[in-house]
Amino acid sequence: MSNTAAKTVTLVQPDSARPIIKATCVDKHFGAFHALKSVSANFYEGQVTAIIGPSGSGKSTFLRTLNRLETHDSGTIEVDGIELNDDLKNLDAIRREVGMVFQSFNLFSHLSILQNVTLAPMRVRKMPKAQAEAKALALLERVGLKNQAHKYPVQLSGGQQQRVAIARALAMDPKVLLFDEPTSALDPEMVNEVLAVMRELAHTGITMLVVTHEMGFAREVADRVIFFDHGVILEDTTPAEFFANPTHERAKAFLSQVR
Ligand code: ADP
Ligand code: MG
């Protein structure tokens, strides 16, 4: 057991990179339910991590503690050297560095696509409107939606809305992007257009943590796979190692169901 742990640490810790996220002994309860049990993991700049595991294993909770959509009970979380705690100044600084893309898109329905993407840069970063719009249009072009800028979310397909959500997150120039099952709410024919955008992003050097059931993405795009089960990280290794030799029975069982 300890041998395995020592090996996986070296595999997932690039020598040159520094951790942009350090989670150490993070615990989270919902009432009496222990959702995260002393979870520790460092994430390195430019690394793409696929977080997988059964439903209810704590994947979303872990991701949400990293930008304080959930508070953790104990342990420490640091993002780019800033501790995530009750200090609102720290939270503000961290939220500027960490973007999130949700399963259900969460676009503002009363705002146009362009306004969805310009809102945070204008409000939070005080970016002038013309500059925010130019940037938004460039990002929308990158996700293939420049010609939809003046439409409203309801006029777009799910896959298009999710690509807008990615552009919106990128508009704040985050160092880290958290994705919580970004393709799970999509019709099958729209999954690939979103994965293609994520694949392109993965090559830009942004740090990505992706909760996903897309094993193809985990295998081909991720640098690292973390397998959650019952609130603990059971496996933390390279995709090649994880898919070829899952160590734990629970991981083997999970893989036999999703493959
Ligand atoms: P996953 O994303 O791996 O499916 P979650 O992190 O969403 O799992 O949930 C882990 C466990 O914590 C589940 O049993 C879930 O029911 C519970 N849980 C999550 N959020 C809450 C909440 N706000 N209140 C109570 N229980 C919750
Ligand atoms: Mg979840």
Side-chain angles (χ1 to χ4, degrees), residues 118-232:
T118 58
L119 185 71
M122 287 172 61
R123 287 248 179 106
V124 180
R125 291 216 194 274
K126 311 295 177 204
M127 192 182 278
K129 187 176 180 191
Q131 190 186 341
E133 289 188 344
K135 179 170 188 153
L137 287 170
L139 286 168
L140 288 170
E141 184 164 33
R142 193 159 146 200
V143 300
L145 292 170
K146 194 178 181 187
N147 55 1
Q148 313 286 330
H150 295 285
K151 291 191 177 167
Y152 282 79
V154 68
Q155 296 172 283
L156 268 51
S157 72
Q160 290 174 322
Q161 289 188 54
Q162 193 60 300
R163 287 186 280 149
V164 174
I166 294 171
R168 181 177 63 175
L170 290 172
M172 290 291 282
D173 293 320
K175 290 188 178 162
V176 179
L177 264 187
L178 310 175
F179 294 85
D180 193 357
E181 299 200 30
T183 60
S184 295
L186 299 175
D187 291 334
E189 70 270 23
M190 291 169 190
V191 169
N192 281 336
E193 68 192 49
V194 172
L195 289 179
V197 167
M198 293 170 61
R199 212 176 271 265
E200 190 260 328
L201 267 183
H203 296 124
T204 64
I206 191 167
T207 308
M208 293 167 59
L209 275 62
V210 186
V211 175
T212 186
H213 293 293
E214 294 291 332
M215 293 303 124
F217 180 87
R219 188 196 290 268
E220 290 150 30
V221 183
D223 303 305
R224 175 181 182 184
V225 172
I226 283 183
F227 178 78
F228 262 88
D229 189 49
H230 291 99
V232 302

Side-chain angles (χ1 to χ4, degrees), residues 11-259:
L11 276 168
V12 296
Q13 183 175 321
D15 291 340
S16 55
R18 69 187 179 100
I20 182 100
I21 295 180
K22 292 174 76 169
T24 309
C25 302
V26 172
D27 269 279
K28 175 67 183 177
H29 292 79
F30 293 108
F33 182 76
H34 203 172
L36 295 178
K37 300 170 184 162
S38 197
V39 171
S40 296
N42 290 345
F43 299 92
Y44 295 86
E45 282 189 320
Q47 200 174 49
V48 177
T49 304
I51 299 177
I52 66 180
S55 180
S57 58
K59 306 179 300 294
S60 296
T61 304
F62 179 62
L63 213 62
R64 292 164 63 84
T65 60
L66 299 179
N67 64 356
R68 217 163 175 82
L69 292 177
E70 303 285 358
T71 56
H72 53 292
D73 304 332
S74 60
T76 58
I77 296 171
E78 271 180 38
V79 179
D80 210 11
I82 305 165
E83 187 173 351
L84 192 52
N85 51 28
D86 289 332
D87 188 333
L88 289 179
K89 194 159 50 64
N90 288 10
L91 179 60
D92 214 44
I94 287 171
R95 289 248 173 98
R96 286 169 187 238
E97 296 199 8
V98 180
M100 185 144 178
V101 175
F102 300 88
Q103 181 176 345
S104 53
F105 330 136
N106 294 5
L107 296 179
F108 301 110
S109 58
H110 64 292
L111 298 180
S112 72
I113 299 311
L114 187 67
Q115 288 168 331
N116 264 278
V117 183
T118 58
L119 185 71
M122 287 172 61
R123 287 248 179 106
V124 180
R125 291 216 194 274
K126 311 295 177 204
M127 192 182 278
K129 187 176 180 191
Q131 190 186 341
E133 289 188 344
K135 179 170 188 153
L137 287 170
L139 286 168
L140 288 170
E141 184 164 33
R142 193 159 146 200
V143 300
L145 292 170
K146 194 178 181 187
N147 55 1
Q148 313 286 330
H150 295 285
K151 291 191 177 167
Y152 282 79
V154 68
Q155 296 172 283
L156 268 51
S157 72
Q160 290 174 322
Q161 289 188 54
Q162 193 60 300
R163 287 186 280 149
V164 174
I166 294 171
R168 181 177 63 175
L170 290 172
M172 290 291 282
D173 293 320
K175 290 188 178 162
V176 179
L177 264 187
L178 310 175
F179 294 85
D180 193 357
E181 299 200 30
T183 60
S184 295
L186 299 175
D187 291 334
E189 70 270 23
M190 291 169 190
V191 169
N192 281 336
E193 68 192 49
V194 172
L195 289 179
V197 167
M198 293 170 61
R199 212 176 271 265
E200 190 260 328
L201 267 183
H203 296 124
T204 64
I206 191 167
T207 308
M208 293 167 59
L209 275 62
V210 186
V211 175
T212 186
H213 293 293
E214 294 291 332
M215 293 303 124
F217 180 87
R219 188 196 290 268
E220 290 150 30
V221 183
D223 303 305
R224 175 181 182 184
V225 172
I226 283 183
F227 178 78
F228 262 88
D229 189 49
H230 291 99
V232 302
I233 292 178
L234 268 193
E235 310 223 0
D236 182 356
T237 187
T238 61
E241 181 75 12
F242 180 76
F243 288 106
N245 296 309
T247 313
H248 295 81
E249 286 306 321
R250 296 281 307 177
K252 287 179 195 166
F254 177 79
L255 280 178
S256 71
Q257 282 161 14
V258 294
R259 272 206 267 222

